[in-house]
């Protein structure tokens, strides 16, 4: 029985995702899968909309409001300013679209609103990505409120100015320019969308530098990029209210899921070393079986090293040590316990089975020479 158990354990190690895939690639694919499923669900909802009962027709128009308002509230609660800015922009865009649609599908107001928000939503995202994430409660965020109000007032002014016989002609000439002509999405808006999408992807991907210091993709930045895709599809189908609402809802759901994923990552993963945190270890310990091994690891003389070389260099050392801990073999999972202390957990392993891997890890770290 013991031999069969060992063989089964070896098979699990060989076919584990971490063995078959690069961990960063695997994590990236996992992050892409969530928005991809949401976008597919939105497309299927639009395709099957003719089969919806009439009792749900009211929900089609209200649904995007519910999703976007909920996402905005949760983003504020979790202190994620970038998500809040994009969700608020999407909410304003959908509200403007709904109100202008009442004036007619061919009205100047609807055309002006679509053109304006097709440009303003990616512009706001691009502006938010240009600044570091400082949370919703940062005292300078009143500037975003003022900017949002100014944008809404300008859009309302243009929409109403188009109804005038004098100014309306001038504004129609502006919107007839080949850069702003819509629908579909104006060229200026496409440029802004591509720029915002590229900026979000640039923040999503692990930063350049030594392999040991790279970080895994951030769910929120990936969510922003995917939400921009959903918004673009919605703009392309703006002539169909159901499709526009479905993809605006999809953008909201994508951002909402990204905020929750990001919050989970911050709660259960150490920001400096990118290892699972002590909280993640405590959660894991509650589900262990009768057989396991735990190794506690401490960086010798780290306090003295910090005093001699500074905390910045000390942080680099912790990152390098953590990178080697993350690559431990034998089925071990590494955690940052606190300070310069780490923990390696071998579930379903005895101490005798875990010791060779821990010793090899100790030797690898001991032999490493910083450049």
């Amino acid at each position: 029985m013991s031999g069969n158990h060992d063989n089964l354990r070896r098979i699990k190690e060989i076919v584990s995702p971490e063995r078959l895939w690069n961990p960063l690639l695997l994590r990236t694919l996992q992050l892409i899968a969530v928005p991809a499923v949401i976008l597919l669900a939105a497309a299927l909802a639009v395709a099957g909309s003719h089969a919806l009962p009439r009792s749900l027709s009211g929900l089609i128009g209200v649904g995007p409001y519910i999703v976007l308002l909920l996402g905005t509230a949760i983003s504020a609660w979790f202190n994620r300013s970038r998500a809040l800015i994009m969700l608020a922009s999407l909410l304003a865009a959908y509200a403007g679209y709904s109100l202008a649609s009442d004036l007619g599908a061919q009205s100047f107001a609807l055309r002006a609103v679509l053109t304006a928000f097709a440009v303003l939503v990616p512009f706001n995202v691009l502006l938010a990505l240009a600044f570091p994430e400082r949370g919703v409660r940062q005292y300078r965020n009143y500037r975003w409120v003022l900017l949002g109000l100014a944008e809404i007032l300008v859009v309302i002014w243009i929409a109403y100015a188009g109804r005038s016989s004098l100014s309306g002609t001038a504004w129609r000439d502006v919107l007839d320019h080949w850069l702003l002509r819509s629908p579909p999405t104006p060229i200026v808006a496409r440029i802004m969308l591509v720029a915002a999408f590229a900026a979000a992807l640039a923040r999503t991907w692990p930063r350049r530098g030594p392999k040991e210091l790279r970080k895994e993709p951030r769910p929120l930045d990936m969510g922003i990029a995917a939400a921009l895709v959903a918004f673009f599809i919605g703009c392309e189908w703006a002539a169909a209210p159901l499709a526009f609402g479905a993809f605006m809802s999809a953008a909201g759901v994508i951002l909402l899921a990204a905020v929750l994923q990001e919050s989970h990552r911050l709660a259960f993963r150490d920001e400096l070393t990118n290892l699972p945190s002590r909280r993640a270890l405590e959660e894991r310990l509650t589900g262990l079986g009768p057989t396991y091994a735990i190794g506690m690891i401490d960086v010798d003389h780290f306090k003295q090293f910090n005093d001699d070389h500074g905390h910045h260099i000390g942080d680099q050392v912790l990152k390098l040590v953590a990178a080697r801990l993350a690559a431990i073999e034998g089925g071990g999972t590494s955690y940052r316990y606190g300070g310069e202390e780490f923990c390696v957990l071998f579930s379903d392993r005895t101490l005798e089975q875990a010791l060779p891997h821990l010793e090899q890890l100790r030797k690898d770290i001991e032999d490493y020479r910083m450049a």
Side-chain angles (χ1 to χ4, degrees):
M1 292 294 291
S2 176
N4 291 337
H5 181 75
D6 290 340
N7 290 335
L8 181 61
R9 175 173 54 80
R10 293 191 185 98
I11 292 173
K12 287 181 178 179
E13 288 182 10
I14 293 172
V15 301
S16 65
E18 290 77 9
R19 290 270 187 162
L20 298 175
W21 295 85
N22 179 286
L24 284 177
L25 176 61
L26 181 63
R27 181 61 178 153
T28 301
L29 292 176
Q30 289 172 343
L31 292 180
I32 292 174
V34 174
V37 169
I38 295 171
L39 287 172
L40 178 60
L44 292 175
V46 173
S49 59
H50 62 279
L52 289 175
R54 291 186 177 181
S55 58
L56 295 179
S57 59
L59 183 61
I60 294 174
V62 177
Y65 283 114
I66 296 174
V67 171
L68 294 172
L69 282 170
L70 180 62
T72 302
I74 291 179
S75 297
W77 180 264
F78 285 108
N79 205 29
R80 300 290 94 191
S81 62
R82 289 197 185 107
L84 178 64
I85 289 167
M86 185 170 186
L87 283 160
S89 299
L90 291 172
L91 181 60
Y94 185 73
Y97 173 86
S98 299
L99 293 172
S101 295
D102 294 337
L103 301 176
Q106 303 299 323
S107 66
F108 174 84
L110 180 58
R111 185 181 170 195
V113 166
L114 284 173
T115 301
F117 280 112
V119 175
L120 290 175
V121 169
F123 170 77
N124 290 341
V125 172
L126 196 58
L127 198 60
L129 291 171
F131 296 97
E133 172 69 72
R134 299 188 184 278
V136 176
R137 302 173 187 90
Q138 212 264 349
Y139 74 97
R140 292 181 178 175
N141 281 345
Y142 71 89
R143 299 174 182 177
W144 283 106
V145 177
L146 294 177
L147 176 63
L149 290 174
E151 290 175 349
I152 292 172
L153 290 175
V154 168
V155 173
I156 293 174
W157 174 62
I158 295 174
Y160 273 92
R163 303 173 67 178
S164 167
S165 58
L166 181 62
S167 60
T169 302
W171 278 114
R172 283 184 173 83
D173 290 340
V174 171
L175 294 185
D176 281 336
H177 192 278
W178 63 275
L179 286 173
L180 293 173
R181 191 177 299 123
S182 67
T185 314
I187 292 178
V188 172
R190 290 171 185 255
I191 294 172
M192 295 297 298
L193 281 163
V194 169
F197 180 79
L201 281 188
R203 295 187 62 87
T204 298
W205 242 253
R207 63 184 180 181
R208 295 181 179 179
K211 182 179 179 181
E212 296 89 345
L213 304 183
R214 294 178 185 174
K215 292 188 176 183
E216 67 176 19
R218 294 178 179 270
L220 186 54
D221 296 317
M222 179 69 77
I224 289 174
L228 285 168
V229 173
F231 176 68
F232 172 71
I233 297 173
C235 290
E236 288 290 287
W237 288 87
L242 177 62
F244 185 78
F247 282 101
M248 291 292 279
S249 297
V253 173
I254 288 170
L255 284 170
L256 179 56
V259 168
L260 296 177
Q261 286 178 306
E262 181 77 4
S263 299
H264 181 275
R265 186 186 71 85
L266 292 174
F268 289 92
R269 188 164 291 273
D270 179 63
E271 185 69 14
L272 177 66
T273 63
N274 206 36
L275 289 176
S277 64
R278 182 171 177 173
R279 178 180 294 182
L281 172 63
E282 292 171 350
E283 289 278 329
R284 183 70 182 88
L285 290 176
T286 61
L288 288 176
T291 303
Y292 61 89
I294 295 178
M296 296 301 298
I297 298 168
D298 181 86
V299 181
D300 292 340
H301 314 297
F302 184 73
K303 184 179 184 304
Q304 185 63 45
F305 185 90
N306 250 351
D307 293 339
D308 293 343
H309 301 281
H311 290 283
H312 176 70
I313 301 299
D315 287 347
Q316 303 307 308
V317 170
L318 290 177
K319 291 179 182 179
L320 293 169
V321 170
R324 277 149 181 77
L325 286 168
I328 190 169
E329 297 183 350
T333 303
S334 300
Y335 301 83
R336 187 182 184 191
Y337 197 74
E340 73 274 20
E341 294 180 318
F342 299 88
C343 174
V344 180
L345 172 64
F346 294 87
S347 59
D348 199 27
R349 301 289 190 279
T350 64
L351 179 60
E352 291 74 17
Q353 292 169 331
L355 273 176
H357 300 289
L358 289 170
E359 177 58 27
Q360 182 61 48
L361 174 67
R362 186 201 64 78
K363 189 175 185 304
D364 289 344
I365 295 175
E366 181 184 43
D367 294 342
Y368 181 78
R369 294 292 180 266
M370 293 185 67

